[in-house]
Amino acid sequence: MRHHGNALTRRGLLGGLVMLAIVTAAPALASKPAGQFIETLGRTAIRELAEDGITQTERERRFRALLTANFDLQRIARFVLGRYARRASREDLRRFASTYEDFMVLTYTRLFVSYAGESFRVTRDLSTPDSRYVIVKSEINLPGDGETIKLDWQILTEGGNAVVDLRVEGVSMAITQRDEFAAVLRKNDSSVPALVEALRRRIARLRSAQPAG
Amino acid sequence: MHGHTAFGRAALLVLLLAAAVVGGCATRPTDPEELTIYREINDPFEPMNRAVFWFNDKLDIVLLRPVAIGYRKVVPGGVRAGIGNFLDNLESPVILMNDLLQGEWQQAQDTVGRFMANTILGLGGVIDIASGAGIPKHSEDFGQTLAVWGVESGPYLVLPVIGPSSFRDGVGLAVDSVADPFGPLAWGNDEQEAVVARWALDTVDWRADNIETIDDLRRSSLDFYAAIRSAYRQRRAAVINNGNGGPGGPDGADFDALPVIEFDFPDDGPDDPANQDTDDATPR
C-alpha cells in the first residue's frame, strides 16, 4: 500500500512538474512582447555577426542559425512566389524554399554585418490585440553623416514570434523580392524550376566573388 | 532632387533615342490572370524603360559611382554632412510651396523656421541648427502634392540620367524645377554655373550616401530593373503617406499606420508547406 502510494506520488509529482512547465512555458512564448523579441534579436545579431576574426563561412553559419530560428522562412518563401505558387508542384515549392534559404543567407549576411556594428534601437511596438501580426519599429544610426535608417519588422505572433517581413525606409523586402521574382517567372513561362535555377546561378556567382575569410 | 533643368534637353534626347531603338510598348497579354498582373505592374513602356535603365546603369558604373567613391574618400565626413545640410537648405522654397499646396500648415511653419534658423545661425545652411532645436527635417515635392490631390501615379517611367519616376512624379519634377527660385536667381546674377554645380553636387552627395545599398541590391538581384521598380513605388507610397495622411487617411494617420502585409494563403489548402506548423515537412 505504502509502496504503491509512493509510486503514485512520484508519478504525480513528475506529472505536475511537466504540467507546470507546459503551463508556464506556453503563455511566456505567446505573450513575450514583439518589441522585446526584436530587441533581443538585434542584440544577438550584433554580438554574433560583428565579432572580429571569424571567417565568412562561420559568419554565414551563424546568420543562417539566426534566420531559421527567428524568421518564418516557409511563409516568406510562399509569399515571394506570389500567385505563381498555386501552379507549382509540392516538390517544386520545397526545392524553391530550400534554395531561397541559401539565397537569403548569402545575400543578407553582408547586409546585416554592415548594419550590425551600428547603434540599433527599437522605437515602438505597434501591437494590436486583434491581429496575429505586429509591427515593430526600429532605427539604426549610421556613423559619418549621422543618417538614421528606419527599419520596420512585421512579426507573426502566433505560436511564438517569427519575423515575416523587414521594411527599410518603407520598402518591404518581401514585396520587392516578390515583384522581382515575378519578373523572372514571367520571362520563363511561369516555371518555378527556372527561378530556382536562376537563384542557384546567382548563389554560385556570389560564392565565387566572395573574398575568402 | 532639383536643378535638373539644365539636363532636361540631354535627357529628352536619350529618351527619344531609346524609344526609337526599342520601338515603344510592351505587348498586352490576353490571358486574364496575366492581364491583371500587367495592370498591377503598370509599366506599359517597359522595353523603353529597360533601355533607359540600362543606359543609366552603365553611366552610373563608369562615372557616377567612381566619382561618389572618390568624393567620400577625399572629403571628410563632417564636411560632407555640412554640404548635405547646405543642399537640403536650398530646397526649402520648393518644400514650402508643396507644404502650402498640401495644406500642411504646421509643416510650412517648420520649413520657414528651419530655413531662417539654418541660414542665419547655421552659416548659410551648413549647420542644421533647427534639427538640434527640435524642428525635424521633412521633404515634400510636387509629385507628392499631386498624389495628395488624388492624382494617380500613372505608368512607371525611367528618366535618362535622373532615374526611376512615373508620369505623375515626372510632371512633379518639372513643376518643382520651374518653381525653384534658385535658377532665376543664379541667372539674374550671371552665375549660371551655380545651377550645374548644385545639380552635380546634389547627385554626387546622394550617390555617396548610397554606395553600399546600391552595391548590395545590384549584386543580389536577379532582375535589378524589377527590384528598383518595386522599391521606387513602395518608397513613394511611404513618403506620400508620411506624416500627412495622404489621400486616403485623416491628418495624423501617418507612417505608423503601415498596412500589415497578408502572409496567409487560404487558397493553398492544408497540403502547402507554408500552411503547416512545422518547417521540417518530411519529403515523400
Side-chain angles (χ1 to χ4, degrees), chain B residues 106-123:
Chain B
Q106 182 56 52
Q107 280 197 23
Q109 284 177 33
D110 284 359
T111 305
V112 173
R114 283 181 56 83
F115 185 68
M116 306 281 273
N118 290 348
T119 306
I120 298 166
L121 302 172
L123 306 177

Side-chain angles (χ1 to χ4, degrees), chain A:
Chain A
M1 186 69 197
R2 194 176 165 207
H3 180 78
H4 192 193
N6 213 353
L8 254 182
T9 317
R10 206 175 299 137
R11 199 180 299 150
L13 190 68
L14 203 67
L17 276 176
V18 170
M19 275 305 288
L20 191 71
I22 289 169
V23 166
T24 51
L29 256 176
S31 69
K32 185 180 173 191
Q36 204 182 309
F37 164 67
I38 292 302
E39 194 96 58
T40 311
L41 177 58
R43 229 178 297 129
T44 315
I46 289 171
R47 194 181 57 234
E48 300 215 330
L49 300 177
E51 191 182 318
D52 286 332
I54 57 170
T55 62
Q56 183 61 30
T57 319
E58 172 60 13
R59 203 164 264 148
E60 259 177 56
R61 196 194 60 74
R62 289 181 183 185
F63 182 74
R64 189 188 294 269
L66 282 175
L67 193 71
T68 48
N70 297 289
F71 285 65
D72 192 338
L73 278 176
Q74 286 291 339
R75 210 175 274 272
I76 301 169
R78 169 62 186 81
F79 179 87
V80 296
L81 278 182
R83 63 192 96 213
Y84 297 96
R86 264 182 275 139
R87 294 186 201 160
S89 73
R90 274 195 81 171
E91 190 49 39
D92 285 346
L93 291 178
R94 189 154 27 236
R95 228 175 252 147
F96 171 76
S98 108
T99 310
Y100 179 69
E101 182 185 314
D102 290 346
F103 178 71
M104 290 283 274
V105 169
L106 226 70
T107 52
Y108 291 104
T109 304
R110 213 177 82 150
L111 185 80
F112 272 70
V113 168
S114 67
Y115 281 166
E118 322 302 339
S119 66
F120 170 84
R121 65 192 183 94
V122 168
T123 49
R124 281 171 92 179
D125 179 349
L126 300 173
S127 304
T128 35
D130 55 331
S131 174
R132 299 155 62 221
Y133 295 105
V134 164
I135 294 199
V136 172
K137 304 175 78 66
S138 67
E139 283 180 1
I140 288 181
N141 283 317
L142 299 180
D145 51 8
E147 204 82 27
T148 302
I149 295 181
K150 288 200 181 90
L151 291 180
D152 298 334
W153 310 72
Q154 183 174 329
I155 294 152
L156 175 71
T157 54
E158 225 171 44
N161 294 310
V163 179
V164 287
D165 191 23
L166 182 57
R167 291 180 226 183
V168 184
E169 292 285 335
V171 178
S172 148
M173 282 179 26
I175 290 180
T176 309
Q177 269 182 346
R178 182 197 63 190
D179 292 351
E180 189 186 353
F181 290 173
V184 176
L185 284 158
R186 266 198 315 282
K187 260 184 289 185
N188 291 289
D189 295 321
S190 312
S191 153
V192 172
L195 175 63
V196 171
E197 204 33 61
L199 279 171
R200 286 200 176 134
R201 276 199 302 272
R202 176 47 52 107
I203 290 167
R205 228 175 83 187
L206 287 168
R207 281 242 157 85
S208 65
Q210 221 154 45

Side-chain angles (χ1 to χ4, degrees), chain B residues 162-283:
Chain B
I162 293 165
S165 190
S166 66
F167 272 40
R168 180 190 64 207
D169 295 340
V171 169
L173 194 64
V175 170
D176 284 336
S177 303
V178 171
D180 195 339
F182 185 82
L185 271 174
W187 281 87
N189 291 304
D190 213 21
E191 301 276 358
Q192 293 91 328
E193 305 82 8
V195 177
V196 180
R198 178 192 174 195
W199 179 81
L201 205 55
D202 226 351
T203 309
V204 172
D205 177 67
W206 175 84
R207 189 63 184 84
D209 281 343
N210 291 284
I211 292 173
E212 287 78 14
T213 320
I214 294 175
D215 281 358
D216 277 334
L217 202 57
R218 193 180 260 146
R219 55 190 267 295
S220 65
S221 290
L222 298 179
D223 188 331
F224 192 35
Y225 172 85
I228 293 281
R229 180 174 63 194
S230 175
Y232 176 76
R233 286 233 177 87
Q234 294 178 60
R235 178 70 190 140
R236 287 303 284 175
V239 295
I240 285 162
N241 290 316
N242 191 8
N244 56 31
D251 248 34
D254 62 0
F255 209 28
D256 292 347
L258 268 181
V260 158
I261 299 167
E262 201 48 66
F263 276 84
D264 291 288
F265 316 98
D267 294 353
D268 290 358
D271 244 20
D272 193 273
N275 280 354
Q276 291 169 3
D277 287 333
T278 49
D279 300 353
D280 45 23
T282 38

